[in-house]
Amino acid sequence: MSLLTVGSVAFDAIETPFGKTDKIIGGAGTYISISSSFFVKPVRVVAVVGDDFPQEYIKTLQDQGVDTEGLQIKEGEKTFFWAGKYHNDMNSRDTLVTELNVLEHFDPIVPESYQGTEYVMLGNLSPQVQSTVIERLKDRPKLVVMDTMNFWMDIAMEDLKKTISMVDVLSVNDEEARQLSGEYSLKKAAKKIMAMGPKYLIIKKGEHGALLFHEDQIFSAPALPLEEVFDPTGAGDTFAGGFIGYLAKTDDISFENMKKAVIYGSAMASFCVEKFGTERLLEITEKDLEARVQEFHKLTSFDMTF
Amino acid sequence: MSLLTVGSVAFDAIETPFGKTDKIIGGAGTYISISSSFFVKPVRVVAVVGDDFPQEYIKTLQDQGVDTEGLQIKEGEKTFFWAGKYHNDMNSRDTLVTELNVLEHFDPIVPESYQGTEYVMLGNLSPQVQSTVIERLKDRPKLVVMDTMNFWMDIAMEDLKKTISMVDVLSVNDEEARQLSGEYSLKKAAKKIMAMGPKYLIIKKGEHGALLFHEDQIFSAPALPLEEVFDPTGAGDTFAGGFIGYLAKTDDISFENMKKAVIYGSAMASFCVEKFGTERLLEITEKDLEARVQEFHKLTSFDMTF
């Protein structure tokens, strides 16, 4: 099935206890499209970069099967740039630089060839941009999944709630779910958030896995205990890409299949953190992925005959 | 199979956002023995109280099937007392009062009738008391499980390591595993801790579930997402009681069966937090427990046919 992803395509500069990078390719749109390209090709992307964005990075995306017709290149402008430094525990980080650049006035143009897309992943961006993309799709997609973050809750809660009301699946982390709902209990938070519109809610818990909610059903996906997290950048976006990619590939949006999509997303994310940036994602094979999914299954399965 | 638990039998005074209690029955030994009594009876207990400890509380234990021959009653002395107040998030608490009283010079006497016990659960106590109990058992039990906490790492690390080297299964929380091993990654921490002696390690993660480690195998147990945590006191001890109780009942210490024991422990703990103190544990039936275990299974199971 056809898949469209929206999100930042950007420069990242990352520092972890293991080393640091110069400006490398990053951004939610990049991680989502690379991750989802393991499941369906082409992956359509709506994003914007400046004329400083190297052709070789665009080629990297194209080589993975990303359709870059919707990638706007703004002459005379600069690409979004983020620099961050992770603390020793890898669970917290300081943002050193955020230069919005081209993202500041991003008008998400949806190419005519993208019309009729069935699966849409709205990566973390301003909720106003996210809702514009939905509005510019003439046919309502079969499934719209949205990722967001606390930043938009702080500065644009009304816009955010409007966009949330338009989507089928919302993905946030545990602290964001609490902030959005005003409830500490994630079960209560999920009820309140689903009452805002989304029929499904994913709550990401980092090293503790993820929860998927739908009506009265809950699925708890583990995270794979890792010896070392080398660089957590992009893990959440890679998760989202694997999730929507698996759904688009199987074209089945039942709760049972969404559980599997959460596991595939988690498996993709577990690769992402093994090296800097997108490096590891560009190496893995389908066999690697299937083996990793088997590990997730082994991790939680227990015999229920008593 | 026969089961012996060691741990504090105490007074607790608890304050949560939902209310507060006077002095009620508490202590690791109490929660462990009540929880494990769902699986095997009698549960032998080695503990100490003062002469202020009400006969009705002892009867409560006996009515659950606890053999109190090993419960010493010290004339002229007072029972261990702990008072604590939980914060609004229920994940952190302030200790208001800790009166060691009879625990200060606790000499754990093992009655002759307890000799030959096959399953032993050492609840959180000074590691010196824990190792004394092991030494006073003439035959090495089939399985010794030990719980401990960061307090002993701070003040008695050498004693603690000695006791850890004598047991089969160690149970700690994630922060304690990090402190004990000096490793942030729980997978690395587990390797280091198992090198200290225990063949199995349980890492409790509160609302995020628990991990069971053995050699190169890992099992990830979820926690049940709850609408409300009424009172978390005793949840870890209740988990331990369910874990050892299930193992003693089934008399099977394979990794596969330990996974199920972790689920049973988690299910018992999920009841414990629903009311103040031991109240909920004294109400539940075998049917409640089986239904809860089914909920845990549903929470994590996904179809692996692709």
Side-chain angles (χ1 to χ4, degrees):
Chain A
M1 294 294 125
S2 52
L3 171 60
L4 166 61
T5 75
V6 188
S8 55
V9 171
F11 289 127
D12 283 350
I14 304 160
E15 192 172 340
T16 80
F18 302 105
K20 59 190 290 186
T21 69
D22 292 327
K23 280 187 177 182
I24 58 173
I25 187 172
T30 299
Y31 285 100
I32 293 170
S33 58
I34 293 177
S35 179
S36 57
S37 72
F38 275 81
F39 302 90
V40 282
K41 289 181 204 294
V43 174
R44 296 163 175 167
V45 65
V46 168
V48 63
V49 293
D51 62 9
D52 57 345
F53 198 71
Q55 192 56 41
E56 80 178 87
Y57 284 176
I58 295 175
K59 193 168 176 307
T60 298
L61 293 175
Q62 289 168 341
D63 288 348
Q64 291 295 308
V66 178
D67 175 348
T68 57
E69 189 186 341
L71 178 65
Q72 303 170 46
I73 302 174
K74 292 281 184 189
E75 291 302 322
E77 293 191 43
K78 289 174 74 183
T79 300
F80 174 60
F81 173 50
W82 174 83
K85 182 178 173 173
Y86 289 88
H87 300 158
N88 280 335
D89 67 8
M90 291 298 225
N91 266 344
S92 54
R93 67 184 186 192
D94 294 325
T95 289
L96 303 176
V97 181
T98 307
E99 291 174 10
L100 278 181
N101 299 329
V102 288
L103 272 192
E104 198 162 356
H105 303 288
F106 177 32
D107 181 33
I109 296 168
V110 176
E112 188 54 34
S113 68
Y114 287 10
Q115 291 298 336
T117 301
E118 287 147 308
Y119 288 83
V120 173
M121 177 72 227
L122 304 171
N124 174 44
L125 270 178
S126 101
Q128 202 266 320
V129 169
Q130 291 175 315
S131 62
T132 300
V133 172
I134 301 176
E135 284 156 0
R136 289 181 178 172
L137 290 164
K138 292 169 198 157
D139 303 319
R140 211 301 179 168
K142 185 165 178 180
L143 192 79
V144 180
V145 181
M146 170 189 181
D147 193 36
T148 188
M149 68 182 293
N150 53 355
F151 179 72
W152 308 111
M153 298 174 197
D154 293 337
I155 69 158
M157 188 60 116
E158 285 319 301
D159 276 354
L160 182 64
K161 285 193 173 167
K162 180 194 149 204
T163 308
I164 287 175
S165 75
M166 300 166 73
V167 306
D168 303 300
V169 184
L170 178 69
S171 158
V172 287
N173 73 28
D174 42 2
E175 285 320 306
E176 290 157 356
R178 287 175 172 133
Q179 184 174 349
L180 185 58
S181 65
E183 292 287 348
Y184 187 81
S185 153
L186 295 181
K187 195 171 175 182
K188 282 188 175 176
K191 273 193 187 170
K192 280 204 178 172
I193 293 170
M194 287 191 287
M196 296 175 189
K199 293 183 287 293
Y200 297 86
L201 173 69
I202 295 168
I203 299 181
K204 296 171 288 185
K205 303 193 299 173
E207 64 160 333
H208 302 299
L211 297 170
L212 171 68
F213 293 87
H214 173 56
E215 294 171 352
D216 288 332
Q217 296 173 287
I218 311 176
F219 174 60
S220 172
L224 202 64
L226 297 169
E227 293 255 344
E228 206 82 87
V229 170
F230 195 81
D231 171 19
T233 310
D237 303 313
T238 302
F239 170 86
F243 176 75
I244 191 100
Y246 184 79
L247 291 177
K249 179 185 179 184
T250 54
D251 193 26
D252 171 358
I253 57 172
S254 67
F255 186 69
E256 276 310 304
N257 202 53
M258 284 217 188
K259 290 180 184 181
K260 289 164 77 170
V262 168
I263 295 293
Y264 271 90
S266 304
M268 290 302 295
S270 75
F271 285 117
C272 178
V273 303
E274 292 178 347
K275 292 195 177 179
F276 269 126
T278 57
E279 195 180 339
R280 186 72 179 115
L281 292 180
L282 298 175
E283 292 173 350
I284 56 168
T285 64
E286 199 162 312
K287 213 174 133 189
D288 295 330
L289 178 59
E290 290 303 327
R292 187 61 59 94
V293 166
Q294 293 290 344
E295 273 190 78
F296 272 83
H297 189 253
K298 213 176 143 194
L299 193 61
T300 55
S301 61
F302 61 96
D303 178 14
M304 268 297 285
T305 52
F306 295 104
Chain B
M1 293 294 124
S2 52
L3 171 60
L4 165 62
T5 76
V6 188
S8 55
V9 171
F11 289 127
D12 282 349
I14 303 161
E15 191 173 338
T16 80
F18 302 104
K20 59 190 290 185
T21 68
D22 292 328
K23 280 186 177 181
I24 59 174
I25 186 172
T30 299
Y31 285 99
I32 293 170
S33 59
I34 292 177
S35 178
S36 57
S37 72
F38 275 80
F39 302 90
V40 283
K41 291 180 203 294
V43 174
R44 296 162 175 168
V45 64
V46 167
V48 62
V49 293
D51 62 8
D52 56 346
F53 198 70
Q55 191 57 42
E56 81 178 87
Y57 284 176
I58 296 175
K59 194 169 174 306
T60 297
L61 294 175
Q62 289 168 339
D63 288 348
Q64 291 294 311
V66 178
D67 175 348
T68 57
E69 189 185 342
L71 178 66
Q72 304 170 46
I73 301 173
K74 291 281 183 187
E75 293 301 321
E77 293 192 43
K78 290 173 74 183
T79 300
F80 174 59
F81 173 50
W82 175 82
K85 181 177 173 173
Y86 289 88
H87 300 159
N88 281 335
D89 68 7
M90 291 300 225
N91 265 346
S92 54
R93 68 185 185 191
D94 293 325
T95 289
L96 304 176
V97 181
T98 307
E99 291 174 11
L100 278 182
N101 298 330
V102 287
L103 272 193
E104 198 162 355
H105 303 290
F106 177 33
D107 182 32
I109 296 167
V110 176
E112 188 55 33
S113 68
Y114 287 11
Q115 291 298 336
T117 300
E118 288 147 306
Y119 288 83
V120 173
M121 177 71 227
L122 304 171
N124 173 43
L125 270 178
S126 101
Q128 202 265 321
V129 168
Q130 292 175 316
S131 62
T132 300
V133 172
I134 301 176
E135 283 156 0
R136 288 179 178 174
L137 289 164
K138 292 169 199 158
D139 303 318
R140 208 317 177 151
K142 185 166 177 180
L143 192 80
V144 179
V145 182
M146 169 188 183
D147 193 36
T148 188
M149 68 183 293
N150 52 356
F151 179 73
W152 308 110
M153 297 173 196
D154 294 336
I155 68 159
M157 189 60 115
E158 285 319 300
D159 276 354
L160 181 65
K161 285 192 173 168
K162 181 194 149 203
T163 308
I164 287 175
S165 76
M166 299 165 75
V167 307
D168 304 299
V169 184
L170 178 68
S171 157
V172 287
N173 72 28
D174 41 3
E175 285 319 306
E176 289 157 356
R178 288 175 172 134
Q179 184 174 350
L180 184 58
S181 64
E183 292 287 349
Y184 187 81
S185 152
L186 295 180
K187 195 170 175 183
K188 283 190 177 175
K191 272 193 187 168
K192 280 205 178 171
I193 293 170
M194 289 191 287
M196 296 175 188
K199 290 183 290 292
Y200 297 86
L201 173 69
I202 296 168
I203 299 182
K204 297 172 287 184
K205 304 193 297 173
E207 62 160 334
H208 302 298
L211 297 170
L212 171 69
F213 293 87
H214 173 57
E215 294 171 352
D216 287 332
Q217 296 174 286
I218 311 177
F219 174 60
S220 171
L224 202 64
L226 297 169
E227 293 256 344
E228 207 83 87
V229 171
F230 196 81
D231 171 19
T233 310
D237 303 314
T238 302
F239 169 86
F243 176 76
I244 191 101
Y246 183 79
L247 291 177
K249 178 185 178 183
T250 53
D251 192 27
D252 171 359
I253 57 172
S254 67
F255 185 69
E256 277 310 305
N257 201 52
M258 284 217 188
K259 291 181 183 179
K260 289 165 76 170
V262 168
I263 295 292
Y264 271 91
S266 303
M268 290 302 294
S270 75
F271 285 117
C272 177
V273 302
E274 292 179 345
K275 293 194 176 181
F276 269 126
T278 58
E279 197 180 338
R280 186 72 179 115
L281 293 181
L282 299 175
E283 292 172 351
I284 56 169
T285 63
E286 199 162 313
K287 213 175 132 187
D288 295 330
L289 178 59
E290 290 303 327
R292 188 60 59 96
V293 167
Q294 293 290 345
E295 274 190 76
F296 273 83
H297 190 254
K298 214 176 141 194
L299 193 60
T300 54
S301 62
F302 61 95
D303 178 15
M304 269 297 284
T305 52
F306 295 104

